[in-house]
Amino acid sequence: MQAFTTLNGLVAPLDRSNVDTDAIIPKQFLKSIHRTGFGPNLFDSWRYLDTGEPEQDCRGRPLRQDFVLNLPRYQGAQILLARDNFGCGSSREHAVWALYEYGFRCVIAPSYGDIFATNAGKNGLLTIVLDLAQVEQLFREVEQTKGYRLQVNLRAQTVAAPTGQVFGFEIEAALKERLLLGQDDIGMTLERRDLIRAYEQRRLQERPWLFPDLT
Amino acid sequence: MTAKTLYDKLWDEHLVQDFGNGVCLLYIDRHLVHEVTSPQAFEGLRLAGREPWRRGASLAVPDHNVPTRARAVIADPVARKQLQALEQNVKAARIPYFELSDERQGIVHVIGPEQGACLPGMTIVCGDSHTTTNGALAALAMGIGTSEVEHVLATQTLVAKKMKNMQVRVSNRLAPGITAKDLILHIIGRIGTAGGVGYAIEFCGEGVSALSMEGRMTLCNMAIEAGARSGLVAVDEQTIDYVKGRPFAPTGDSWTQAVDAWQDLRSDPDAAFDRTEEIDAAAVAPCVTWGTSPEMVASIHEQVPDPAQEADPVRRAGMSSALSYMGLQAGMPISAIRPDKIFIGSCTNSRIEDLRAAAQVVTGKRLAGNIKQALVVPGSGLVKRQAEAEGLDSIFLNAGFEWREPGCSMCLGMNDDRLEGGERSASTSNRNFEGRQGAGGRTHLVSPAMAAAAGIAGHFIDVREYLCAADAGNAN
């Protein structure tokens, strides 16, 4: 995955709570066996007037002109401002792949679905939690100001508004480190293969019934 | 020693290493695999030249986009490609696999417990959020994403952050005719879809102990709909009885040892929870969701709520948008809502007790004229066989329902079982999100008995009206 250090990005506001991963990427696109190709179908049923099908060329499909990501002022947005419980529901990592491929590098919301947030962290998409009042303020400022951008600094754990106001945010130390380095954690885990083997040997003695071979 | 919750115990037992920064390396005992969230993980392994760590710890099955009839040939070429990819991937990796023609095939969360592949005290993961279902066995069961699927395949571990402990204590018992589905919808209505974010929820109390194992699975299944990555129920006699004799369950001395160890799979009496919610089971009525989030739920005797009465502006906007999507008016009685299609199935409600409950309502009756289609989709080939042995298939067929082959089906409409734009369902599944069952489709979540009753009446109705009538009939 790509490292995340700083971002100066245009902000798009998605003003609804409980945005589920079915809405982020509808089920028909989950039949793909690849990690790419989901960007054009991000928010498919909110973004287009027709129903999208997998492997369809989306250029030329009729757009819902009033959907926020279709408004000219938000073209090229890299930061998605969202509400409570963003990414709830299904575990589909395709939701993160779709957001990333569309161009988003960061989401700001008061809370996230747990699995979505974990998936985001595995793909270099930064999910920032700000409190309700701060998010509310950002929604107001974004809507009032064309070309509204935020500066995100992961190392400093800050989001800076054009007004000069700076919001701090919390992030787990391990996740921060991985995002800054763009690291894959399978390699890191396999460095601990001896620990895993030792654990298995001990459990095999203590709890042999946990190791039935299903083959 | 400090008192521990069931979740604490399961977590501590599976700790390979605590990194000391809130993140741990957790050993995974069982990994369930299906066609939708695994292809990219297998591709990742191949690209990195990695092999699965412990093949026999996984179990793969196709379920999400399989047809529920005429399955010798998969007509949809995109689905076919994905099903073939699963087969090729698991065969190349030599992972245990129930193919489509195997009678043991079914919805991944139904077959795991059914086969005894999921056991008390295990850590269980699957690239599917409803893995929570398996928590009914006092196992730590979590849904994971595809990157994590790859990680588990490669290392048999998960890099995970410990969640907080929530207890949902259910006092008293559900009234006759009220099911685990009504209970969990009621709970989600109370704590909200974000209420459990960051928590593992342990369900306990008389109202939970009194549930059958299948009812507990329904309860834990929808813990994710309350935002919790895991749901749990402690071990009791019912748990042990359920597991005993299942194909992959331990036998002989190993069984005795296991049962002995499983006695500890309950929270210590003085264990501390970060949060506790009290629910009175006796106050739960049959539930029907009216909106596009499972928390938008009412009892059958209530009305569709009025957004104007909601003080919070974000919630008000959410309610208005849901009512507009659902084509409902504030104030109309829930019982006046008329579904077009009935779906009985999904990892929430496709086990034998679910089918029995629905069949009991349907016996000797016919679908109402406004019902365009009614599907019964058993959770596995074995559930299907059991139901047929009991004659449930004939009861459904005689009433006008279709009797299908096992799979996820209309829960998410990845195959051709789906709602068309504007169609309304009474569905025993778990999500009423916009477009979940088909673009433009409108989903009302209910219990199997309530779905069956809606099919017969042509509108939502308190199932107890039918059950009382049936009892009276039997008495005569």
Side-chain angles (χ1 to χ4, degrees), chain B residues 191-236:
Chain B
I191 70 176
T193 47
V197 170
Y199 291 93
I201 298 180
E202 181 179 344
F203 298 99
C204 63
E206 187 189 356
V208 175
S209 309
L211 292 176
S212 68
M213 285 305 292
E214 295 193 359
R216 296 176 192 182
M217 288 178 207
T218 301
L219 194 63
C220 290
N221 172 275
M222 289 187 69
I224 182 68
E225 261 53 70
R229 204 165 181 173
S230 291
L232 289 160
V233 176
V235 156
D236 63 11

Side-chain angles (χ1 to χ4, degrees), chain B residues 337-413:
Chain B
I337 301 172
R338 299 169 72 79
D340 303 297
K341 289 184 174 172
I342 309 294
F343 173 60
I344 297 174
S346 87
C347 56
T348 313
N349 281 130
S350 64
R351 285 165 284 263
I352 191 68
E353 291 173 11
D354 299 317
L355 304 189
R356 286 176 189 146
Q360 189 190 353
V361 174
V362 162
T363 303
K365 301 191 182 71
R366 288 286 302 171
L367 285 173
N370 59 308
I371 305 296
K372 295 183 197 168
Q373 184 180 44
L375 297 184
V376 185
V377 185
S380 72
L382 295 173
V383 169
K384 181 167 186 266
R385 183 170 73 179
Q386 175 68 29
E388 288 171 355
E390 297 177 18
L392 305 186
D393 56 330
S394 312
I395 294 174
F396 287 119
L397 287 166
N398 289 339
F401 285 76
E402 296 174 40
W403 181 247
R404 296 293 189 92
E405 299 292 330
C408 299
S409 182
M410 205 191 278
C411 172
L412 80 171

Side-chain angles (χ1 to χ4, degrees), chain B residues 211-438:
Chain B
L211 292 176
S212 68
M213 285 305 292
E214 295 193 359
R216 296 176 192 182
M217 288 178 207
T218 301
L219 194 63
C220 290
N221 172 275
M222 289 187 69
I224 182 68
E225 261 53 70
R229 204 165 181 173
S230 291
L232 289 160
V233 176
V235 156
D236 63 11
E237 280 307 307
Q238 275 208 75
T239 322
I240 312 280
D241 290 345
Y242 176 88
V243 174
K244 191 170 188 178
R246 301 212 168 249
F248 295 122
T251 53
D253 287 348
S254 183
W255 170 258
T256 316
Q257 262 185 312
V259 170
D260 190 43
W262 292 342
Q263 302 305 324
D264 191 43
L265 295 175
R266 49 180 65 110
S267 293
D268 295 330
D270 45 352
F273 286 84
D274 300 290
R275 184 173 158 194
T276 296
E277 291 289 332
E278 304 279 349
I279 301 285
D280 179 5
V284 178
C287 289
V288 182
T289 64
W290 51 264
T292 53
S293 164
E295 70 185 21
M296 294 173 167
V297 63
S299 96
I300 182 67
H301 303 292
E302 291 179 294
Q303 286 80 38
V304 173
D306 185 355
Q309 307 290 317
E310 171 61 51
D312 178 78
V314 175
R315 286 179 65 92
R316 187 163 61 235
M319 288 170 72
S320 297
S321 140
L323 290 189
S324 149
Y325 180 86
M326 294 296 289
L328 297 174
Q329 283 75 48
M332 75 183 281
I334 295 288
S335 59
I337 301 172
R338 299 169 72 79
D340 303 297
K341 289 184 174 172
I342 309 294
F343 173 60
I344 297 174
S346 87
C347 56
T348 313
N349 281 130
S350 64
R351 285 165 284 263
I352 191 68
E353 291 173 11
D354 299 317
L355 304 189
R356 286 176 189 146
Q360 189 190 353
V361 174
V362 162
T363 303
K365 301 191 182 71
R366 288 286 302 171
L367 285 173
N370 59 308
I371 305 296
K372 295 183 197 168
Q373 184 180 44
L375 297 184
V376 185
V377 185
S380 72
L382 295 173
V383 169
K384 181 167 186 266
R385 183 170 73 179
Q386 175 68 29
E388 288 171 355
E390 297 177 18
L392 305 186
D393 56 330
S394 312
I395 294 174
F396 287 119
L397 287 166
N398 289 339
F401 285 76
E402 296 174 40
W403 181 247
R404 296 293 189 92
E405 299 292 330
C408 299
S409 182
M410 205 191 278
C411 172
L412 80 171
M414 277 192 77
N415 67 358
D416 54 1
D417 306 333
R418 60 177 82 145
L419 298 181
E420 301 302 327
E423 281 183 344
R424 189 182 294 289
S425 72
S427 177
T428 67
S429 54
N430 39 59
R431 293 192 171 132
N432 51 354
F433 299 157
E434 283 185 22
R436 170 78 178 182
Q437 296 190 289

